[in-house]
Amino acid sequence: MNRFLLFLPLLMACLSLSAQTTEMEQDMFETMREDDKAVVVAVHKDAISGIGQRSIDRLTLRLHELYPNYDYREACTTPGAMGQASDPDKLFSQLQKDGYTHVLIQPSGITNDLDMQYLRQMVETAKGKFKQMRLGEPLLSDLADYQEVANMTISTFSIPKQVNVLVCNGTDKEADASYIMLDYMLRDQTQDWFLATIVGHPSLDHLIKQLKKQKLKKVHLVPFNAEANKMIGGEWTKKLQQAGYKVTAEPTTLMEQAGIIQLFEQHVRHAEQFRRLTATEQKLLP
C-alpha cells in the first residue's frame, strides 16, 4: 500500500485532536482596566521564505485596521532578517518593561514548523509577565484552513488541459506533514493538481514520477511564495523541460491573494476571543 495512504489517517487524526475542546471562550481585552496597555505583535520568519514582503505589508495593514486602539509591534524569529525587528523573546521583555499588560500575537508563518514551535515556547515562558498573552495559529492549522487554501488555489490558478503544480518551500519534517496534507486536499478535488516542495517532501523528483502517469505534457507552475517563485524560474523549469514537458509559470504567488490575509485574520480573532485551557483544566474535562 502507498506509504502516503498509510500516513494520511494518522495526520488527519492529529489535526482532529488539535481541534478538540482545549479552549474556552474568553475575550482577552474584556479584562482591561483604564491603566492597562495592550499591544498587537506580528511575528515573522523572514520576507523571502515566509509569506513575502507584500503579504507582510498587507497583514500589517489589516492588523492596524482590526485593532486601531492598540499599539503595534513586529518581531522576527530569524535574527537580522527583518531589519530592525526584534527577536520575540527580547521584544516580550521590553513590552513588560514598557508596562504592557495585554499582548496579542499573530505569526505570519505558513505551517507549524520548528520556527513556530520555537515561538510557542517563548510565549509560554513569557506568559507570566502579562495579564493576558495570546498566540494565533499559522496559516495552515486545522482542516478548514487546508480546505480553504486548496479551494483558493484551484479556483484562482487552474488552467484547463494542463497539469497544475503548487510549488512550496518545505523546511523540515513538521512542514512536510502540512504540505502532504495540502497535496491530498488538492488532489481530492481534482486530478489536475499536484504539490511539490523545494526542500522536503513531496519533492521535484517525486513530482516528475507522478507526472509520468499523466497523459498531459503541459505543466503550469504556481509559486506558493516569493522563494518558490525564484526557484521556478531556474532549476525547476529546466528539469521539467528535460523530462519532456512544456512549462509555464504563474507570475503571482498564492500568498498574494486576498483570501490568505483573511485566514490570518480569522486566526488572530480566534486567539483574541478564545483562551487555551491549562494542563490542569484539561485534566478536569469529562
Side-chain angles (χ1 to χ4, degrees), residues 1-281:
M1 183 181 291
N2 190 304
R3 291 177 64 189
F4 170 68
L5 294 179
L6 288 171
F7 171 73
L8 181 62
L10 177 60
L11 177 59
M12 294 187 73
C14 290
L15 286 169
S16 297
L17 282 173
S18 66
Q20 288 179 1
T21 305
T22 57
E23 55 190 18
M24 64 178 291
E25 188 169 1
Q26 185 183 77
D27 190 324
M28 67 174 286
F29 296 124
E30 283 185 353
T31 61
M32 287 189 67
R33 302 182 310 185
E34 288 187 7
D35 57 340
D36 285 339
K37 290 174 62 178
V39 62
V40 178
V41 179
V43 178
H44 314 292
K45 180 178 182 179
D46 57 59
I48 300 299
S49 65
I51 65 173
Q53 190 58 55
R54 288 184 184 178
S55 295
I56 286 175
D57 293 342
R58 290 175 181 174
L59 177 59
T60 298
L61 177 62
R62 189 58 186 144
L63 290 174
H64 279 295
E65 292 172 345
L66 290 172
Y67 302 100
N69 298 322
Y70 305 134
D71 293 334
Y72 176 80
R73 298 288 186 276
E74 283 188 313
C76 183
T77 55
T78 305
M82 295 289 294
Q84 299 301 314
S86 301
D87 173 272
D89 199 31
K90 292 181 180 178
L91 177 61
F92 298 154
S93 295
Q94 187 61 50
L95 291 176
Q96 182 193 26
K97 292 177 183 177
D98 292 342
Y100 287 95
T101 56
H102 292 65
V103 183
L104 177 59
I105 307 155
Q106 180 54 49
S108 64
I110 296 169
T111 68
N112 189 36
D113 58 9
L114 292 176
D115 258 54
M116 185 64 198
Q117 294 178 33
Y118 171 58
L119 177 59
R120 288 188 199 281
Q121 291 175 358
M122 285 191 286
V123 170
E124 285 301 315
T125 301
K127 271 186 175 180
K129 300 176 181 178
F130 308 98
K131 291 183 179 180
Q132 289 281 351
M133 191 177 202
R134 304 274 182 87
L135 174 63
E137 294 298 323
L139 180 70
L140 296 172
S141 298
D142 60 29
L143 289 173
D145 297 330
Y146 287 91
Q147 191 66 64
E148 183 66 29
V149 171
N151 292 343
M152 194 186 311
T153 302
I154 292 169
S155 63
T156 306
F157 298 110
S158 289
I159 294 184
K161 298 181 181 180
Q162 293 194 32
V163 175
N164 299 277
V165 180
L166 182 61
V167 182
C168 305
N169 276 22
T171 52
D172 49 50
K173 63 181 181 181
E174 285 77 9
D176 280 355
S178 292
Y179 292 130
I180 289 170
M181 186 65 191
L182 183 56
D183 181 44
Y184 170 81
M185 287 290 190
L186 288 168
R187 283 197 272 163
D188 186 51
Q189 296 189 50
T190 173
Q191 294 303 304
D192 294 338
W193 271 94
F194 290 86
L195 181 149
T197 63
I198 297 170
V199 179
H201 189 82
S203 66
L204 175 58
D205 290 338
H206 178 266
L207 170 66
I208 292 174
K209 288 180 182 179
Q210 295 297 313
L211 291 178
K212 289 179 179 178
K213 301 175 185 178
Q214 301 284 320
K215 294 181 180 180
L216 297 172
K217 288 297 180 179
K218 294 181 179 180
V219 177
H220 185 61
L221 302 178
V222 178
F224 200 93
N225 62 0
E227 185 166 337
N229 194 25
K230 181 175 63 176
M231 185 63 69
I232 282 174
E235 178 185 353
W236 281 57
T237 295
K238 183 179 179 180
K239 273 196 171 184
L240 286 166
Q241 288 174 338
Q242 289 173 344
Y245 296 95
K246 183 178 180 180
V247 182
T248 57
E250 182 68 37
T252 306
T253 70
L254 175 61
M255 290 297 98
E256 293 176 61
Q257 304 308 303
I260 295 295
I261 300 304
Q262 291 174 6
L263 276 177
F264 281 117
E265 177 182 337
Q266 292 173 20
H267 290 321
V268 72
R269 283 295 199 191
H270 188 88
E272 173 200 343
Q273 296 167 7
F274 290 86
R275 174 179 70 81
R276 283 191 173 274
L277 300 179
T278 65
T280 302
E281 288 172 330

